[in-house]
Amino acid sequence: MKTQFLKSFFYAVAIGATLFGCSKDNDQEPGPVAVSVEFLNTTHNIAEVGDSVQVVVALSADAPTDGTVFVKLFGDAVYGEDFFTKPAAVNGVVRMDFQAVMRTNIFTVHRLKNDNKRNESTITLTVANVSQGYLIGSKATSNVKLLELPEEPAGARINFEDVFLHLSEYEENGYAVNLKLTNPLTEKETVTLVIDAPNGRNYGTHFTTVPVAVQNKIEIEVLPGASAVQFTIFPADDALVLGTYDITFSIDATTGRLEKGEILQLAVRVEENDKEPINEVHSIAELRNYFDEFDGQFWMSTDYFIEGVITSGENVLDNRTVYIQDETGGIMLRFSVRNFLKTGDRVRINLINATGNIYNGQKGMIDVHDMLGQVLQHNQTMAPKVITFEQLHTGNYAGMRVTVTGATFREADGVRMFEGSWGLISETSGAIVTTYSHAYFSSHLLPRGTVSVTGIVGDWGRILPQGLQDILR
């Protein structure tokens, strides 16, 4: 009986001790539980150059403490040539810092342009190391594929279709000039042409283009898909016998994937279409002799052409009056209406139906109907004859430009102006200088002192200067 009691007692003590010990262990604080680290997605694709993807590194629970995850980069894509990352990789490793309670962190992979590699390549990302308290999870590897790029369209070279074009001086719709492309483009580009014209042929006066040139350069847009572009030349119908001339167009510059080809220049020959008339041209000396044959007055009943340079400007009787001169002499012409010929125009004029008459003491053709004549050249000059006052009074220089030297204006007093008729004297003789009120210099003062005067020998043998440039001290 006693023995049975002792056994029961020891069992009770043992059970109590066991229960007590378990209770004590359950009251202790549990230790930190590690969280696993893995990629949210195991595959990413980047199709185009310049695109990027965000790679998410996720924790299985909130980060218990601050920590660091190191991602190693592998694969056949080359860092710095095919791609780069943010944050940047150092020695092929991207460092990602986690703060307590964070669940995710990201880094970005950006694709770069590499003209030497267009086929598919792969970046393999592996969680290589983690801080204490972090565990590497099951999805510790992720692949970023740089997909194969489509072949870029080949660049295009641009050439003139022709190297030489022969054009007439006038064509209402102009002449289209083609430039050909070796391949079509996928984006809009521009080609710039430079124009080289000979001296005396000016853009805007003798020819124009569409598109319009700026400072002798034409910019032409080349649209995507185009196999050719055009510009148009418009030679001017100038009604002048200036002769045939050449214009050179050169491909100067291109943009983008458009390149200069092999045929970079085009020579355009513009053929003169204003032909010399076949009519006989009479000298002005011959015309002046007519006055002697017909006792000072006659009517020109048939075609009668003269040719010369217009020497007069504003300082003539009125806007119907001009003076024309050739190598043999000069004469006054009065048109039936206002004329539009300019000083320096070399013209051919038909005097049919005009009347020869002594007008204001000078030989002149009155009522000339060929108002414009045929302009052969612009900006021509007739050198004046340097003569004495005695030669001036012989009448041999009527209608011509002359210069007298070593003379003074008798009435020049610092008050009188050019408008009117004033004595011009030398030591032995003199003449009259006349300026009409509508001449631009009529309100300028007569110069004092010795001068040389150039002018046309006009009305009543008076000298008609045509501007202040004709009065030299």
Side-chain angles (χ1 to χ4, degrees):
M1 197 66 183
K2 183 177 180 181
T3 302
Q4 184 68 34
F5 172 79
L6 290 172
K7 288 181 178 179
S8 300
F9 175 76
F10 284 120
Y11 281 129
V13 172
I15 293 169
T18 301
L19 292 173
F20 179 78
C22 291
S23 175
K24 185 176 181 180
D25 288 340
N26 288 339
D27 290 341
Q28 291 179 349
E29 290 293 329
V33 179
V35 297
S36 62
V37 179
E38 59 185 15
F39 292 105
L40 186 63
N41 297 299
T42 58
T43 302
H44 304 81
N45 295 323
I46 305 179
E48 300 290 338
V49 172
D51 286 351
S52 61
V53 294
Q54 289 187 330
V55 178
V56 181
V57 178
L59 305 182
S60 59
D62 291 347
T65 60
D66 292 351
T68 304
V69 174
F70 296 92
V71 177
K72 182 71 175 176
L73 308 179
F74 300 94
D76 55 355
V78 180
Y79 193 92
E81 294 183 8
D82 302 316
F83 73 99
F84 70 94
T85 62
K86 287 187 178 180
V90 178
N91 295 325
V93 176
V94 175
R95 173 177 173 152
M96 306 184 70
D97 293 320
F98 283 82
Q99 296 177 344
V101 309
M102 284 179 63
R103 291 292 293 271
T104 60
N105 203 345
I106 64 172
F107 70 93
T108 308
V109 179
H110 297 263
R111 185 168 187 175
L112 293 170
K113 182 178 181 181
N114 186 348
D115 291 330
N116 297 321
K117 187 186 291 185
R118 307 188 65 82
N119 56 313
E120 182 178 299
S121 57
T122 303
I123 311 163
T124 299
L125 313 171
T126 301
V127 179
N129 197 6
V130 295
S131 297
Q132 186 176 1
Y134 293 72
L135 297 175
I136 298 176
S138 58
K139 295 194 294 184
T141 298
S142 180
N143 289 315
V144 179
K145 291 185 177 181
L146 308 181
L147 300 182
E148 182 176 2
L149 294 171
E151 287 295 326
E152 289 191 14
R157 295 189 303 278
I158 189 165
N159 295 280
F160 283 106
E161 186 175 45
D162 301 292
V163 295
F164 180 76
L165 289 177
H166 198 169
L167 312 181
S168 175
E169 186 178 52
Y170 175 71
E171 172 58 46
E172 183 178 1
N173 298 317
Y175 297 89
V177 176
N178 288 324
L179 294 96
K180 304 282 285 186
L181 278 73
T182 56
N183 296 300
L185 298 168
T186 58
E187 297 182 1
K188 182 175 72 174
E189 304 293 356
T190 301
V191 59
T192 303
L193 309 181
V194 172
I195 303 171
D196 182 26
N199 292 335
R201 301 294 190 276
N202 299 315
Y203 186 92
T205 301
H206 300 99
F207 66 96
T208 57
T209 60
V210 173
V212 173
V214 178
Q215 295 183 339
N216 280 342
K217 289 189 175 183
I218 305 173
E219 288 194 353
I220 304 172
E221 288 187 347
V222 183
L223 298 178
S227 60
V229 291
Q230 289 184 336
F231 70 97
T232 306
I233 306 172
F234 293 88
D237 187 18
D238 52 21
L240 303 176
V241 184
L242 300 177
T244 297
Y245 61 96
D246 293 334
I247 313 168
T248 301
F249 295 88
S250 302
I251 297 175
D252 180 59
T254 57
T255 61
R257 298 188 66 83
L258 182 62
E259 300 174 358
K260 293 192 287 186
E262 293 74 38
I263 306 175
L264 299 180
Q265 282 194 341
L266 168 68
V268 175
R269 177 159 297 169
V270 181
E271 192 73 33
E272 176 66 80
N273 69 351
D274 297 304
K275 302 301 182 184
E276 298 276 350
I278 60 175
N279 307 84
E280 180 184 2
V281 177
H282 299 272
S283 70
I284 293 178
E286 290 180 80
L287 174 62
R288 293 183 65 86
N289 289 337
Y290 253 61
F291 289 81
D292 301 328
E293 294 180 24
F294 292 95
D295 197 23
Q297 186 169 350
F298 58 91
W299 178 64
M300 196 71 74
S301 60
T302 60
D303 288 330
Y304 192 95
F305 290 88
I306 61 170
E307 182 180 309
V309 175
I310 302 299
T311 57
S312 58
E314 293 180 349
N315 193 27
V316 290
L317 180 64
D318 53 31
N319 60 22
R320 295 164 55 190
T321 302
V322 301
Y323 285 84
I324 185 171
Q325 182 176 334
D326 66 8
E327 291 75 13
T328 68
I331 197 167
M332 181 195 73
L333 304 179
R334 275 186 58 80
F335 292 87
S336 56
V337 295
R338 177 184 178 180
N339 88 95
F340 295 93
L341 295 172
K342 298 181 178 61
T343 306
D345 286 347
R346 185 169 74 86
V347 297
R348 183 169 292 148
I349 295 177
N350 190 354
L351 299 180
I352 186 172
N353 293 326
T355 300
N357 203 353
I358 304 297
Y359 191 88
N360 286 354
Q362 63 189 320
K363 294 177 179 180
M365 298 302 298
I366 313 303
D367 267 344
V368 177
H369 297 284
D370 190 8
M371 276 81 70
L372 295 177
Q374 184 178 19
V375 180
L376 305 176
Q377 287 177 296
H378 291 304
N379 302 318
Q380 302 300 296
T381 59
M382 294 296 296
K385 299 280 188 181
V386 180
I387 62 173
T388 64
F389 284 107
E390 289 74 19
Q391 288 174 306
L392 173 68
H393 294 307
T394 64
N396 295 333
Y397 297 92
M400 297 176 61
R401 291 187 75 220
V402 300
T403 298
V404 290
T405 60
T408 57
F409 282 101
R410 185 174 51 204
E411 289 92 354
D413 57 2
V415 176
R416 290 184 172 88
M417 296 177 290
F418 271 99
E419 181 180 352
S421 295
W422 307 105
L424 184 69
I425 59 174
S426 68
E427 293 181 357
T428 59
S429 186
I432 299 297
V433 173
T434 296
T435 304
Y436 290 96
S437 61
H438 46 262
Y440 79 89
F441 60 96
S442 62
S443 60
H444 286 258
L445 294 176
L446 288 173
R448 295 176 175 177
T450 302
V451 294
S452 65
V453 177
T454 297
I456 299 166
V457 181
D459 304 314
W460 312 113
R462 298 175 296 185
I463 299 175
L464 307 177
Q466 296 302 303
L468 291 176
Q469 74 279 358
D470 287 341
I471 313 296
L472 299 178
R473 297 191 185 191

